[in-house]
Amino acid sequence: MKNNIGSPLKKAFIGSMIFLVSGTFLPLSTNAQTITPAKIDALKTELMGEIDKQQKMTQEMVDMVFSFGELGFQEVETSKYLTGILKENGFTIEQGISGIPTAWTAKWGSGKPVIAIGSDIDCIPKASQKPGVAYHDPIIEGAPGHGEGHNSGAPLNIVAMLALKKIMQREKLSGTLVLWPGVAEEQLATKAYYVRDGYFKNVDACIFTHVSNNLSTGYGPIGTSGMISVKFNFEGEAAHAAAAPWKGRSALDAVELMNVSWNMHREHMLTSQRSHYVIVDGGDQPNVVPSKASVWYYFREQDYPLVMKMYKDGIKMAEAAASMTDTKMTYEVLGSAWPGYMNQPIAETMYENIKQVGLPTWSEADKTLALATQIELNPNAPDLQKGLATTLSPIGKAVPGASFSGGGSDDIGDISWNVPTIVLGYPANISGLKGHDWASAIAMATPIAHKGVTAGAKAEALTVLDMLVKPEILKEAWKYFNDVQTKDVKYTPMISKTDKPAVSLNKKIMNEYRPEMTKFYYNPAKYKTYLEQLGIKYPTVRPASNK
Ligand SMILES: [Zn+2]
């Protein structure tokens, strides 16, 4: 998803009007009787102190995952590393959930409530970038990199939950913590499968963490688009393109015709839509009529019915293109996401804790890097040259009557329609960037990211503690979920019962770059930080922008 969770959530969501029979739900917790408000305050202070003590571990994990730089479905080293730490700390790992080799759950504790804690772990193609350097300077030219900051959320969750686990053990608090990774989030390709396969069935609440440039949360429709990702494959007949072109049927012609029709159709679509495509196979060489060609689309809209309408329109055009070129067409769903809708009572609990935690203290070096990066990216936009966040953004909520203007998606949406969920944004990145590129990786293995993760871990740990010891929060959360959020809108998965996660996506790219990337994996035994390992002076800025 685009890194916009931190901005006030201002977009309205017009849901489909299907009635849902609300279930009743009462989480059982025995924690409440034994803990006084003063005791809760003391535990919170202790939690924050404990997370501060773990800053070295935080830095190591953030830097390590940054150095792995693995694309969706290929997060092999990342998952091995993270589950290794969790296993060492007494969590029970279930590897390969939903048939996805790099997906897992890590459970600790027992009884109610069951709190799921998630964050994405995949990165962005061609986003390789030296951290701490305020201009384009890849570690490996063309290689993937953490140009979305997904190297930071899972470390945040681990630090927060290890601190909380200590307190739960000592205070004998009932509750089960379930950590899980957003695998292949950039392909919107796994969370709907986790939901379909029952991994959120007995969960009482979910906290999802996402990199941002402020410490923030919100509730209601958060303005992320619903989306379905579909690859259309055409098959024709190869022939010598010069000697016998009349014997060939071009699959590439079909792809081009489909794209031409979609682009004409675009003129007549609602302004809330976003759709984009890449031609993943356009044939091999010009003198061979392409017998195979494929085009991959993301169809995005503000709600389920509108996404499905786009999907149907796409299929219709693909069929027509196949008919025009006398080729055969098949299509496959590679991912999907519901628009996100977050839980008010949990968000309000989180926001109180956010206020208690506050924003990190930025050093001169942090500020210099942020400003230089903003100037590099937006030389003519002084309003985007704001440096790092120094005031908390207000709690995000939809503005009544505002129209949906479209934007990125996150498959946390699917989970949010099945379990009361919130997203915690944490200030580990720089504002004013484009997202999904090398520049968004600059801060992600520097003290900016480390401090942002520490602040986020505190807010998260405090909020989960609240949910464990104040059962009324989850009671209210489910009331909101049943009576407000899902009153008129029923979750219908976009994937079918037989769709399978597209686990071989990105294999080829990772196979190409991994051997070279391995040489740059972080070695914490030898270097204090990844910056030190790469020999980067922090910050490194162009002389002209260092003012
Ligand atoms: Zn993201």
Coordinates of all heavy atoms in Angstrom, one line a residue, residues 32-92:
A32 N -9.3 -8.8 34.5 CA -9.8 -7.6 34.9 C -9.8 -7.5 36.5 O -9.5 -6.4 37.0 CB -11.2 -7.3 34.4
Q33 N -10.2 -8.5 37.1 CA -10.5 -8.4 38.6 C -9.2 -8.1 39.4 O -9.3 -7.5 40.4 CB -11.0 -9.8 39.2 CG -12.3 -10.2 38.6 CD -12.1 -11.1 37.4 OE1 -11.0 -11.3 36.9 NE2 -13.2 -11.7 36.8
T34 N -8.1 -8.5 38.8 CA -6.9 -8.4 39.7 C -6.1 -7.1 39.4 O -5.1 -6.8 40.2 CB -5.9 -9.6 39.3 OG1 -5.8 -9.6 37.9 CG2 -6.5 -10.9 39.9
I35 N -6.4 -6.3 38.4 CA -5.5 -5.2 38.1 C -6.2 -3.8 38.3 O -7.2 -3.5 37.7 CB -5.0 -5.3 36.6 CG1 -4.4 -6.7 36.5 CG2 -4.1 -4.2 36.2 CD1 -3.1 -6.7 35.9
T36 N -5.6 -3.0 39.1 CA -6.2 -1.7 39.4 C -5.6 -0.7 38.3 O -4.6 -0.9 37.7 CB -5.7 -1.2 40.8 OG1 -4.3 -1.0 40.7 CG2 -6.1 -2.1 41.9
P37 N -6.3 0.5 38.2 CA -5.8 1.5 37.2 C -4.4 1.9 37.5 O -3.6 2.1 36.6 CB -6.8 2.7 37.4 CG -8.1 2.0 37.9 CD -7.6 0.9 38.7
A38 N -4.1 2.1 38.8 CA -2.7 2.5 39.2 C -1.7 1.4 38.8 O -0.6 1.7 38.3 CB -2.6 2.7 40.7
K39 N -2.1 0.2 38.9 CA -1.2 -0.9 38.5 C -1.0 -0.9 37.0 O 0.1 -1.1 36.5 CB -1.8 -2.2 39.0 CG -1.2 -3.5 38.5 CD -0.1 -3.9 39.5 CE 0.7 -5.1 38.9 NZ 1.6 -5.7 39.8
I40 N -2.1 -0.6 36.3 CA -2.0 -0.6 34.8 C -1.0 0.5 34.4 O -0.1 0.3 33.5 CB -3.4 -0.3 34.1 CG1 -4.3 -1.5 34.4 CG2 -3.2 -0.1 32.6 CD1 -5.7 -1.3 34.0
D41 N -1.1 1.7 35.0 CA -0.2 2.8 34.8 C 1.3 2.4 35.0 O 2.2 2.7 34.2 CB -0.5 4.0 35.6 CG -1.7 4.7 35.1 OD1 -2.1 4.4 34.0 OD2 -2.3 5.6 35.8
A42 N 1.5 1.7 36.1 CA 2.8 1.2 36.5 C 3.3 0.2 35.4 O 4.5 0.3 35.0 CB 2.8 0.6 37.9
L43 N 2.5 -0.7 35.0 CA 2.9 -1.7 34.0 C 3.2 -1.0 32.7 O 4.1 -1.4 32.0 CB 1.8 -2.7 33.8 CG 1.5 -3.7 34.9 CD1 0.3 -4.6 34.6 CD2 2.7 -4.5 35.3
K44 N 2.5 0.1 32.4 CA 2.7 0.8 31.1 C 4.1 1.5 31.2 O 4.9 1.5 30.2 CB 1.6 1.8 30.8 CG 0.3 1.2 30.3 CD -0.7 2.3 29.9 CE -1.9 1.6 29.3 NZ -2.9 2.6 28.8
T45 N 4.4 2.1 32.3 CA 5.7 2.7 32.4 C 6.8 1.7 32.3 O 7.8 1.9 31.6 CB 5.8 3.4 33.8 OG1 4.7 4.3 34.0 CG2 7.1 4.2 34.0
E46 N 6.6 0.5 32.9 CA 7.6 -0.5 32.8 C 7.8 -1.0 31.4 O 8.9 -1.2 30.9 CB 7.1 -1.7 33.7 CG 8.1 -2.8 33.9 CD 7.6 -4.0 34.7 OE1 6.6 -3.9 35.4 OE2 8.2 -5.1 34.5
L47 N 6.6 -1.2 30.7 CA 6.7 -1.6 29.3 C 7.5 -0.7 28.4 O 8.4 -1.1 27.6 CB 5.3 -1.7 28.7 CG 4.5 -3.0 28.8 CD1 3.1 -2.8 28.2 CD2 5.2 -4.1 28.0
M48 N 7.3 0.6 28.6 CA 8.0 1.6 27.8 C 9.5 1.6 28.1 O 10.3 1.7 27.2 CB 7.4 3.0 28.0 CG 6.0 3.1 27.4 SD 5.5 4.8 27.2 CE 5.1 5.3 28.8
G49 N 9.8 1.4 29.4 CA 11.2 1.3 29.8 C 11.9 0.1 29.2 O 13.0 0.1 28.7
E50 N 11.1 -1.0 29.2 CA 11.7 -2.3 28.7 C 11.9 -2.2 27.2 O 12.9 -2.6 26.6 CB 10.6 -3.4 29.0 CG 11.0 -4.8 28.4 CD 12.2 -5.4 28.9 OE1 12.6 -5.1 30.1 OE2 12.9 -6.2 28.2
I51 N 11.0 -1.5 26.5 CA 11.2 -1.3 25.0 C 12.4 -0.4 24.7 O 13.1 -0.6 23.8 CB 9.8 -0.8 24.4 CG1 8.8 -2.0 24.4 CG2 10.1 -0.4 22.9 CD1 7.4 -1.6 24.1
D52 N 12.5 0.6 25.5 CA 13.7 1.5 25.4 C 15.0 0.7 25.6 O 16.0 0.9 24.9 CB 13.7 2.6 26.4 CG 12.9 3.8 25.9 OD1 12.9 4.0 24.7 OD2 12.3 4.5 26.8
K53 N 15.0 -0.3 26.5 CA 16.2 -1.1 26.7 C 16.5 -2.0 25.5 O 17.6 -2.5 25.4 CB 15.9 -2.0 28.0 CG 16.3 -1.3 29.3 CD 16.3 -2.4 30.4 CE 15.3 -2.1 31.5 NZ 14.9 -3.2 32.3
Q54 N 15.5 -2.2 24.7 CA 15.7 -3.1 23.6 C 16.1 -2.4 22.3 O 15.9 -2.9 21.2 CB 14.4 -4.0 23.3 CG 14.0 -4.9 24.5 CD 15.2 -5.8 25.0 OE1 16.0 -6.2 24.2 NE2 15.2 -6.0 26.3
Q55 N 16.6 -1.2 22.4 CA 16.8 -0.4 21.2 C 17.9 -1.1 20.3 O 17.9 -0.9 19.1 CB 17.2 1.0 21.5 CG 16.0 1.8 21.9 CD 16.3 3.3 22.3 OE1 16.8 4.0 21.4 NE2 16.1 3.7 23.5
K56 N 18.9 -1.7 20.9 CA 19.9 -2.4 20.1 C 19.3 -3.5 19.3 O 19.5 -3.7 18.1 CB 21.0 -3.0 21.1 CG 22.1 -3.8 20.4 CD 22.9 -3.0 19.4 CE 23.7 -3.9 18.5 NZ 23.9 -3.3 17.1
M57 N 18.4 -4.3 19.9 CA 17.7 -5.4 19.2 C 16.8 -4.9 18.1 O 16.8 -5.4 17.0 CB 16.9 -6.2 20.2 CG 16.2 -7.4 19.7 SD 14.8 -8.0 20.7 CE 14.5 -9.5 19.9
T58 N 16.2 -3.7 18.4 CA 15.3 -3.1 17.4 C 16.1 -2.7 16.2 O 15.8 -3.1 15.0 CB 14.7 -1.8 18.0 OG1 13.9 -2.2 19.2 CG2 13.7 -1.2 17.0
Q59 N 17.2 -2.0 16.4 CA 18.1 -1.6 15.3 C 18.6 -2.8 14.5 O 18.6 -2.8 13.3 CB 19.3 -0.8 15.9 CG 20.4 -0.5 14.9 CD 21.6 -1.5 15.0 OE1 22.0 -1.9 16.1 NE2 22.1 -2.0 13.9
E60 N 19.0 -3.9 15.2 CA 19.5 -5.1 14.5 C 18.5 -5.7 13.6 O 18.7 -6.0 12.5 CB 20.0 -6.1 15.5 CG 21.4 -6.1 15.8 CD 21.9 -7.2 16.6 OE1 21.5 -8.4 16.4 OE2 22.8 -7.0 17.5
M61 N 17.3 -5.8 14.1 CA 16.2 -6.5 13.3 C 15.8 -5.6 12.1 O 15.6 -6.1 11.0 CB 15.0 -6.8 14.2 CG 15.2 -7.9 15.2 SD 13.6 -8.5 15.9 CE 13.2 -7.1 17.0
V62 N 15.6 -4.3 12.4 CA 15.3 -3.4 11.3 C 16.3 -3.4 10.2 O 16.0 -3.6 9.0 CB 15.1 -2.0 11.8 CG1 14.9 -1.0 10.7 CG2 13.8 -1.9 12.7
D63 N 17.6 -3.3 10.6 CA 18.7 -3.3 9.6 C 18.8 -4.7 8.9 O 19.1 -4.7 7.7 CB 20.0 -3.0 10.3 CG 20.1 -1.5 10.8 OD1 19.1 -0.8 10.6 OD2 21.2 -1.1 11.2
M64 N 18.6 -5.7 9.7 CA 18.8 -7.1 9.1 C 17.7 -7.3 8.0 O 18.1 -7.7 6.9 CB 18.6 -8.1 10.2 CG 18.9 -9.5 9.7 SD 20.6 -9.8 9.3 CE 21.2 -10.3 10.9
V65 N 16.5 -7.0 8.3 CA 15.4 -7.3 7.3 C 15.6 -6.3 6.1 O 15.4 -6.7 4.9 CB 14.0 -7.1 7.9 CG1 12.9 -7.4 6.9 CG2 13.8 -8.1 9.1
F66 N 16.1 -5.1 6.4 CA 16.4 -4.2 5.3 C 17.4 -4.8 4.3 O 17.2 -4.8 3.1 CB 16.9 -2.9 5.9 CG 17.2 -1.8 4.8 CD1 16.3 -0.8 4.5 CD2 18.5 -1.8 4.1 CE1 16.5 0.1 3.5 CE2 18.7 -0.8 3.2 CZ 17.8 0.2 2.9
S67 N 18.4 -5.4 4.9 CA 19.5 -6.0 4.1 C 19.0 -7.2 3.2 O 19.6 -7.5 2.2 CB 20.7 -6.3 4.9 OG 20.5 -7.5 5.6
F68 N 18.0 -7.9 3.7 CA 17.5 -9.0 3.0 C 16.8 -8.6 1.7 O 16.9 -9.2 0.7 CB 16.6 -9.9 3.8 CG 17.2 -10.6 4.9 CD1 16.5 -10.8 6.1 CD2 18.5 -11.1 4.8 CE1 17.1 -11.5 7.2 CE2 19.1 -11.8 5.9 CZ 18.4 -12.0 7.1
G69 N 16.1 -7.5 1.8 CA 15.4 -6.9 0.6 C 14.7 -8.0 -0.3 O 15.0 -8.1 -1.5
E70 N 13.7 -8.7 0.2 CA 13.1 -9.8 -0.5 C 11.7 -9.4 -1.0 O 10.9 -8.8 -0.3 CB 13.0 -11.0 0.4 CG 14.4 -11.6 0.7 CD 14.3 -12.7 1.6 OE1 13.7 -12.6 2.8 OE2 14.9 -13.8 1.3
L71 N 11.4 -9.7 -2.3 CA 10.1 -9.4 -2.9 C 9.1 -10.4 -2.4 O 9.4 -11.5 -1.9 CB 10.3 -9.5 -4.4 CG 11.1 -8.4 -5.1 CD1 11.5 -8.8 -6.5 CD2 10.4 -7.1 -5.0
G72 N 7.8 -10.0 -2.7 CA 6.7 -10.8 -2.3 C 6.8 -12.3 -2.6 O 7.1 -12.6 -3.7
F73 N 6.4 -13.1 -1.7 CA 6.4 -14.6 -1.8 C 7.8 -15.2 -1.7 O 8.0 -16.4 -1.7 CB 5.7 -15.1 -3.1 CG 4.2 -15.0 -3.0 CD1 3.5 -14.3 -3.9 CD2 3.5 -15.7 -2.0 CE1 2.1 -14.2 -3.8 CE2 2.1 -15.6 -1.9 CZ 1.4 -14.9 -2.8
Q74 N 8.9 -14.3 -1.8 CA 10.2 -14.9 -1.7 C 10.9 -14.4 -0.5 O 12.2 -14.3 -0.4 CB 11.0 -14.4 -3.0 CG 10.3 -14.6 -4.3 CD 10.0 -16.1 -4.5 OE1 10.7 -17.0 -4.1 NE2 8.8 -16.4 -5.1
E75 N 10.2 -14.1 0.6 CA 10.7 -13.6 1.8 C 11.3 -14.7 2.7 O 11.0 -14.9 3.9 CB 9.7 -12.9 2.7 CG 8.9 -11.8 1.9 CD 7.6 -12.3 1.3 OE1 7.5 -13.6 1.0 OE2 6.6 -11.6 1.1
V76 N 12.2 -15.5 2.1 CA 12.7 -16.7 2.7 C 13.6 -16.4 3.9 O 13.4 -16.9 5.0 CB 13.5 -17.5 1.6 CG1 14.1 -18.8 2.2 CG2 12.7 -17.8 0.4
E77 N 14.7 -15.5 3.7 CA 15.6 -15.2 4.7 C 14.9 -14.4 5.8 O 15.1 -14.6 7.0 CB 16.7 -14.3 4.2 CG 17.6 -15.0 3.1 CD 18.4 -16.2 3.7 OE1 18.6 -16.3 5.0 OE2 18.7 -17.1 2.9
T78 N 14.0 -13.5 5.4 CA 13.3 -12.7 6.3 C 12.4 -13.5 7.3 O 12.5 -13.3 8.5 CB 12.3 -11.7 5.6 OG1 13.1 -10.9 4.7 CG2 11.6 -10.7 6.5
S79 N 11.7 -14.4 6.7 CA 10.8 -15.3 7.6 C 11.6 -16.2 8.5 O 11.3 -16.4 9.6 CB 9.9 -16.1 6.7 OG 8.8 -15.3 6.3
K80 N 12.7 -16.8 7.9 CA 13.6 -17.6 8.7 C 14.2 -16.9 9.9 O 14.1 -17.3 11.0 CB 14.7 -18.2 7.8 CG 15.4 -19.4 8.4 CD 16.2 -20.1 7.3 CE 17.4 -19.3 6.8 NZ 18.3 -19.9 5.9
Y81 N 14.6 -15.7 9.6 CA 15.2 -14.8 10.7 C 14.2 -14.4 11.8 O 14.4 -14.6 13.0 CB 15.8 -13.6 10.0 CG 16.3 -12.5 11.0 CD1 17.4 -12.7 11.7 CD2 15.6 -11.3 11.1 CE1 17.9 -11.7 12.6 CE2 16.0 -10.3 11.9 CZ 17.2 -10.5 12.7 OH 17.6 -9.5 13.5
L82 N 13.0 -14.0 11.3 CA 12.0 -13.5 12.3 C 11.4 -14.6 13.1 O 11.3 -14.5 14.4 CB 10.9 -12.7 11.6 CG 11.3 -11.5 10.8 CD1 10.1 -11.0 10.0 CD2 11.7 -10.4 11.8
T83 N 11.1 -15.7 12.5 CA 10.6 -16.9 13.2 C 11.6 -17.5 14.2 O 11.3 -18.0 15.2 CB 10.0 -18.0 12.3 OG1 11.0 -18.4 11.4 CG2 8.8 -17.5 11.6
G84 N 12.9 -17.4 13.7 CA 14.0 -17.8 14.6 C 14.0 -17.1 15.9 O 14.1 -17.7 17.0
I85 N 13.9 -15.8 15.8 CA 13.9 -15.0 17.1 C 12.6 -15.3 17.9 O 12.7 -15.5 19.1 CB 13.9 -13.5 16.7 CG1 15.2 -13.1 16.0 CG2 13.6 -12.6 17.9 CD1 15.2 -11.7 15.4
L86 N 11.5 -15.4 17.3 CA 10.3 -15.7 18.0 C 10.3 -17.1 18.7 O 9.9 -17.3 19.8 CB 9.1 -15.6 17.1 CG 8.7 -14.1 16.7 CD1 7.9 -14.1 15.5 CD2 8.0 -13.5 17.9
K87 N 10.9 -18.1 18.0 CA 11.0 -19.4 18.5 C 11.9 -19.4 19.7 O 11.6 -20.0 20.8 CB 11.6 -20.3 17.4 CG 11.2 -21.8 17.6 CD 11.6 -22.6 16.4 CE 11.6 -24.1 16.8 NZ 12.3 -24.9 15.8
E88 N 13.0 -18.7 19.6 CA 14.0 -18.6 20.7 C 13.3 -18.0 22.0 O 13.7 -18.3 23.1 CB 15.1 -17.6 20.3 CG 16.4 -18.2 20.2 CD 17.4 -17.2 19.6 OE1 17.5 -16.1 20.2 OE2 17.9 -17.5 18.5
N89 N 12.3 -17.2 21.7 CA 11.6 -16.5 22.8 C 10.3 -17.2 23.2 O 9.4 -16.6 23.8 CB 11.3 -15.1 22.5 CG 12.6 -14.2 22.6 OD1 13.0 -13.9 23.7 ND2 13.3 -14.0 21.5
G90 N 10.2 -18.5 22.9 CA 9.1 -19.3 23.4 C 7.8 -19.3 22.6 O 6.8 -19.9 23.0
F91 N 7.8 -18.7 21.4 CA 6.6 -18.7 20.5 C 6.6 -20.0 19.8 O 7.6 -20.6 19.4 CB 6.7 -17.5 19.6 CG 6.2 -16.2 20.2 CD1 7.1 -15.6 21.1 CD2 5.0 -15.6 19.9 CE1 6.7 -14.4 21.7 CE2 4.6 -14.4 20.5 CZ 5.5 -13.8 21.4
T92 N 5.4 -20.5 19.5 CA 5.2 -21.7 18.7 C 4.9 -21.3 17.3 O 4.0 -20.5 17.0 CB 4.0 -22.5 19.2 OG1 4.2 -22.7 20.6 CG2 3.8 -23.8 18.5

